[in-house]
Amino acid sequence: MTTSASDPRGAGAPEVDVDAAVLPISVAAELAGMHPQTLRQYDRLGLVEPRRSAGRGRRYSLRDVATLREVQRLSQEDGVNLAGIKRILELERKVLRLSEEVERLRALVGAQRRVFTADPSGDVVAGQMGRRVSRSRAGAALVLWDPRRR
């Protein structure tokens, strides 16, 4: 995300780290249009988990503020309760992680590496076609992917 006072499109502006936890609770609450006590409650419920400063004060990022606004929208406009909102946020994070994993695997398939193994922790590891699984991986499951077979 870029920002600039003179150029609303952000062209030529310095990059802003949306994950930098620099906003104190009062500023984050004002940007989100909420009372600071509401932010404390959401922190206790695990809806938004701000980082902590050296003095243990809550520090919010711009991404946290966007999440707070989404919590408010889901609650006020869509009538979703806080437990439902927490579940929605968890599922959105899971979808993001899975999408990143799919992209990683697509990159491996694009490189013609079509043999995948699962290590003991369950992580997917790409192997090379025509190579045997080493003895150190003998306990891992081996799955062959053939695009012609479905």
Side-chain angles (χ1 to χ4, degrees):
M1 175 176 154
T2 59
T3 184
S4 172
S6 61
D7 185 358
R9 293 170 301 164
E15 289 289 320
V16 175
D17 184 1
V18 296
D19 292 315
V22 295
L23 304 171
I25 193 168
S26 59
V27 174
E30 185 175 336
L31 289 173
M34 299 177 174
H35 191 277
Q37 192 60 37
T38 305
L39 274 64
R40 291 182 187 96
Q41 179 67 21
Y42 289 173
D43 183 13
R44 282 191 289 275
L45 294 173
L47 293 173
V48 177
E49 298 173 359
R51 290 183 211 101
R52 300 290 180 152
S53 67
R56 301 291 299 145
R58 291 173 174 87
R59 291 291 183 257
Y60 292 84
S61 67
L62 291 175
R63 187 177 311 276
D64 293 332
V65 171
T67 301
L68 289 166
R69 288 180 179 161
E70 179 66 6
V71 168
Q72 186 175 43
R73 187 193 67 74
L74 287 167
S75 175
Q76 293 178 355
E77 294 176 17
D78 296 339
V80 180
N81 65 25
L82 294 179
I85 291 171
K86 184 174 182 178
R87 184 69 177 138
I88 289 168
L89 294 175
E90 288 169 353
L91 290 171
E92 285 178 345
R93 285 189 290 268
K94 186 173 185 176
V95 166
L96 181 61
R97 283 192 309 270
L98 290 173
S99 296
E100 290 168 353
E101 178 71 4
V102 165
E103 288 306 311
R104 185 182 74 79
L105 293 173
R106 279 193 178 137
L108 293 173
V109 169
Q112 300 300 314
R113 296 170 65 173
R114 297 181 183 225
V115 177
F116 298 94
T117 61
D119 64 15
S121 68
D123 291 334
V124 176
V125 180
Q128 292 183 339
M129 203 64 142
R131 289 203 174 183
R132 297 187 79 171
V133 177
S134 67
R135 291 207 181 263
S136 63
R137 301 184 73 87
L142 177 64
V143 179
L144 297 176
W145 180 73
D146 185 349
R148 298 170 300 217
R149 296 179 71 193
R150 291 192 186 243

